[in-house]
Structures are given as structure tokens and as C-alpha cells.
Amino acid sequence: MAKGIAMLGWIDYVGLTRCRAVPPDQMAARREHGLGWAVAGQALTPFSEIAINPWGSIAEVRQVPDPSAHVTLPAYDGAAPFDLTLCDSLNSDGSSWDCCTRGFARKALTALESDFGLRFVGAFEHEFTLSGGTITPGAPFTVEALRVAPRFTADLADALSQAGLEPETVEPEYGYLQYEVTTAPAIGLAAADRAILTREVIREVARWHGLRATFSPKPSLDGVGNGAHLHFSFADGESRNMSFDASTPSQASPFVRSFIAGVMDHMPALVAYTAPSPVSYLRLGPHHWSCGFASFGIQNREAAIRICPSPARDPKRQASGFNLEYRPADATASAYMIIGALIQAGLSGVRRQLPLPPSCDVDPAELSEAQRRELGIVTLPASLAEALSALEADEIASSWMPATMRRSYVDVKRLEQKLAEAKVPEEVCRQHAAVY
Ligand code: GLU
Ligand code: MG
């Protein structure tokens, strides 16, 4: 049996895990200085087209593996072992490259900790759609839907556990051959690392079975979308949930109330980070639980940001289980950019001590224009082009990225938009499903 190959991976602007690989026995030697990488690659769209960029043929960074962001899966029925470590992109002096998406999240997490003494606790929900093989789909949410791919789902649960990713659920979803995996929350950068590694493990286990898992937000135009909802809360140094306050009707602490307000305030620009591809906007919209409006609600699955109270009756568990959910996110975004931008948006509300917006208790699409205005609800951008314009119009949201990152990120995204505009939506869906 082949020993396999050890992969060093990093996540770019289009949310793909790019990699270089070395024989496993050379990994130790790569720990310190990593592998060189020509950064012009950061200007790639998900396809072969590359955006105009400031780097050219010389600029290079080191992709330095972080052993805390590592998974291995043993050899499986003829498939070689799987070994992936995520990297920080560093300049030759060891500082963080200003266009590294992992560095982008780290900066926001550091601000949260140093300015507010809080740690981010987060878990993504992973929706994906299977294709290939000869599975006949079952009805939504049924035992049949889960058991038509019994080896896949059982092997998946085992692989996620063995890899230390702490799976919590593996379940059939609403769509045709759509499934969902959730994992236990992780702290800080590990929340994003875990999401990226979980997705790659899901893809690998699908490959073992001759299947393909796509996380594209809209694999087919008339099918169900795949979200990457992010559940999160904030912990202090003693792991207490500082998001919770039993004394208010919303159960949200003063910090969280202003955090939600900041997210609402920046939402049209924020989606340029969290739903950042042309196909993202074929998913977002009312009546699909994927949200079409920048709205806040308690337990409302049509709201873009939702308070999720714990169902527990025990006060201690009520406090520890209380969390928030951000829904207009998908797997075409770097999980690091989602977490980093979400924190920055929220902190901008906390710094301004904004009050909690009124809660929307219905599908905001059912409200009149005037009722929405009263609740502070605006329509989310309807295309990547609109989201990028909202980003450029929001000085605060633009400032979360260093200047080179901002310019190069927008250039890549504008090119993606242009490529998509030349195609019919069905083709955009098909193309993205083949890559994500
Ligand atoms: N698939 C829906 C989405 O695109 C979410 C369904 C759910 O709430 O789990 O976001
Ligand atoms: Mg779901």
C-alpha cells in the first residue's frame, strides 16, 4: 500500500483549498519554513481565468503548515491515506502576508480578544449534494434517504470522528441527494479550520464510494441550495458564554445586542465576503430559508441573523447553549473570510454601542415595504455585482481588508461576475457545482 502524500493546503479568495504536497517523511522538515508559492495564484477565479494582479511572476510567500490544523484518514479499500495540513501564508521575514485569508480571520479574532477579552466559538452547518454512482434518492429527511447511501454515511461519520472533527449529526436534508453534517463548536481559528477540513473529509469519503459531494450554493437552478450557516457565541477566559443574559427578553447580552446591530448595519457589504460568488446569489432569496433580506429574528429561519435560544430548562445549560446563527454564507467563501468579516461587522456595532434592532417574527418577504423599513430591514444584494458595489460604498467594511487585499479581492470577484454574465444561469450552476 502506498504511503500516500502529505498535502499542505491554503484557502484563497474563491474559497477553494489549493495545495502542494510532499512525501510524508519530508513533512517535519517543512514545518519551519513551509513551501514557497507564487502568489499570482491568489488572483485565480475558480476556473482557469486569472485576474489582473499586482504580483506577476516573482512575488512569493511561504505556505507554512500549522500542525493544529491537520487531518489524516487511513488507507481505504485501495485509496491511499489522506493527509492534509492547513497553512499560514507568511512573508520571508515570518510576518503574515497581507492577502492571507487565514491571517484576515486571525486579525479579527485578535481584536475581539484584546479589546473585549472574548473568544469566538463557532460551528458551521455543512449542506452538500451528492452526485455520481447509482443511488436512487429517498424522500426528504427520511431514513430511506440516509440508507440509500449507507456505506457513505457510516464511513463519513467514522472518518470525521477518527479525524478528530467531532461530528454531531450526519443527516438527510430537504433536497434531492442533499445531506448535512454538523460538528461540535471550536474556538477561534479552529472553527474555520474545522469547517475546511470537514468539507475536505466529506469530499474524500464521497470519492471512496465513487460519488462526488458538491457544496456549491446552488448545484442546479431548480434544485435546493446549500448553505453554510455559522452558529457562534462568545466565551470569556473561563469558557463562560458571555452572549447570554437571562434578564432580557431576547436573552442576548449587551455585547451581543450591539454585535447583532453591527452585523445588520453592514450586511449588504458583508455578503461580499460571505456569499462571494455569482452562484451565491442564485441561492439567496426569500422563501428558501436562505434569506433574501438583511433581517434579524429570534428563532426565525428566514432571518439573516438569528438568535437561537437553548431549548434546555436547566439554567446552566440554557446559558451554555444560547447562540447566534448567521445564514447568508456559503462554501464559495473562505471560512476564514466569513469569520473575520462577521466579527469585524459585529465589533463595529459594539464600538458604536448600537441598540438591538427590532426582531422580525415572520418571513420578511410577507411584510410591506413600509413594515420592513420600520424593522430596519433592507433587501440583500441580488447579484455579486450589487454586493461588490455595496462593499465599495461601505468604507468601514472595505477597511477590514488591507489595501492590496481589497484591490485584488475585488478584481477577482469582478472577473468572476463578468465570466458568469456571459452564461445562462443553468450553466453558471453547472460550472460551479463541478468545482465546489
Ligand atoms: N438549504 C437552506 C439554505 O440554503 C437552509 C435550510 C436549513 O435551514 O437547514 O440556506
Ligand atoms: Mg440545513
Side-chain angles (χ1 to χ4, degrees):
M1 172 60 64
K3 274 192 300 175
I5 190 111
M7 294 176 281
L8 284 78
W10 58 92
I11 318 307
D12 61 8
Y13 294 160
V14 299
L16 291 175
T17 313
R18 312 277 187 183
C19 75
R20 295 188 70 192
V22 297
D25 53 9
Q26 285 185 32
M27 196 60 182
R30 295 291 173 190
R31 286 265 156 82
E32 203 174 341
H33 299 296
L35 282 175
W37 180 61
V39 293
Q42 187 80 333
L44 270 171
T45 64
F47 312 108
S48 55
E49 289 84 355
I50 184 158
I52 295 207
N53 65 82
W55 300 299
S57 56
I58 294 173
E60 178 171 305
V61 289
R62 308 299 300 176
Q63 300 292 8
V64 182
D66 179 345
S68 75
H70 174 226
V71 285
T72 50
L73 300 177
Y76 179 93
D77 195 19
F82 182 86
D83 186 314
L84 173 63
T85 311
L86 301 179
C87 297
D88 284 304
S89 310
L90 303 181
N91 299 309
S92 53
D93 64 2
S95 59
S96 181
W97 178 42
D98 58 1
C99 299
C100 170
T101 69
R102 199 165 189 251
F104 177 81
R106 198 193 296 279
K107 197 167 117 191
L109 291 160
T110 303
L112 178 67
E113 185 134 21
S114 61
D115 299 354
F116 300 94
L118 293 175
R119 293 186 300 167
F120 182 84
V121 182
F124 283 89
E125 293 177 4
H126 302 284
E127 293 181 336
F128 60 94
T129 313
L130 288 180
S131 62
T134 52
I135 314 172
T136 314
F141 309 117
T142 58
V143 171
E144 173 74 6
L146 196 73
R147 295 297 293 176
V148 288
R151 300 268 321 269
F152 167 73
T153 45
D155 284 346
L156 180 56
D158 284 353
L160 292 166
S161 300
Q162 275 169 26
L165 295 165
E166 300 189 90
E168 286 192 336
T169 58
V170 175
E171 57 196 297
E173 247 287 356
Y174 176 54
Y176 184 84
L177 288 176
Q178 188 188 33
Y179 295 84
E180 177 170 322
V181 163
T182 60
T183 56
I187 294 171
L189 216 47
D193 292 337
R194 174 169 285 183
I196 294 154
L197 295 172
T198 296
R199 270 182 219 141
E200 295 307 337
V201 167
I202 294 171
R203 288 188 170 110
E204 176 68 8
V205 176
R207 285 189 286 267
W208 290 350
H209 294 283
L211 300 167
R212 205 175 157 265
T214 180
F215 297 80
S216 171
K218 198 75 171 166
S220 64
L221 196 56
D222 52 2
V224 175
N226 289 316
H229 308 162
L230 172 57
H231 287 265
F232 64 100
S233 60
F234 301 95
D236 69 1
E238 273 127 59
S239 301
R240 282 179 303 212
N241 187 353
M242 302 309 280
S243 322
F244 180 74
D245 181 347
S247 70
T248 61
S250 66
Q251 298 189 339
S253 65
F255 176 87
V256 156
R257 297 204 292 270
S258 292
F259 192 96
I260 291 170
V263 171
M264 278 284 280
D265 191 37
H266 292 292
M267 189 101 65
L270 183 56
V271 292
Y273 291 91
T274 66
S277 94
V279 76
S280 302
Y281 295 86
L282 299 175
R283 165 184 167 249
L284 292 181
H287 311 311
H288 291 92
W289 293 16
S290 62
C291 58
F293 295 91
S295 62
F296 153 67
I298 298 171
Q299 261 314 13
N300 183 353
R301 287 183 174 78
E302 280 290 351
I305 183 153
R306 162 169 95 107
I307 283 183
C308 311
S310 161
R313 282 197 218 120
D314 165 54
K316 255 204 187 135
R317 293 187 59 203
Q318 243 176 32
S320 63
F322 178 89
N323 68 91
L324 306 171
E325 181 188 36
Y326 177 80
R327 297 173 73 88
D330 67 60
T332 63
S334 158
Y336 300 123
M337 304 245 344
I338 296 176
I339 287 181
L342 179 73
I343 292 175
Q344 296 284 16
L347 291 188
S348 135
V350 174
R351 292 201 176 95
R352 287 179 282 156
Q353 298 185 316
L354 297 182
L356 184 70
S359 159
C360 174
D361 303 324
V362 294
D363 181 346
E366 317 270 289
L367 300 175
S368 69
E369 206 45 73
Q371 287 170 316
R372 280 199 289 268
R373 207 170 314 117
E374 213 164 286
L375 295 173
I377 297 174
V378 297
T379 313
L380 281 178
S383 66
L384 178 58
E386 279 185 33
L388 292 173
S389 302
L391 175 65
E392 286 174 324
D394 184 335
E395 262 176 51
I396 297 179
S398 300
S399 76
W400 302 333
M401 287 184 272
T404 312
M405 182 185 230
R406 181 165 63 239
R407 224 175 17 248
S408 51
Y409 182 77
V410 170
D411 283 346
V412 170
K413 297 290 149 193
R414 290 252 183 249
L415 178 56
E416 281 187 75
Q417 174 69 26
K418 193 172 137 208
L419 294 171
E421 275 166 7
K423 300 188 173 77
V424 292
E426 286 82 356
E427 176 62 7
V428 173
C429 290
R430 198 199 54 73
Q431 248 197 336
H432 284 80
V435 172
Y436 289 96

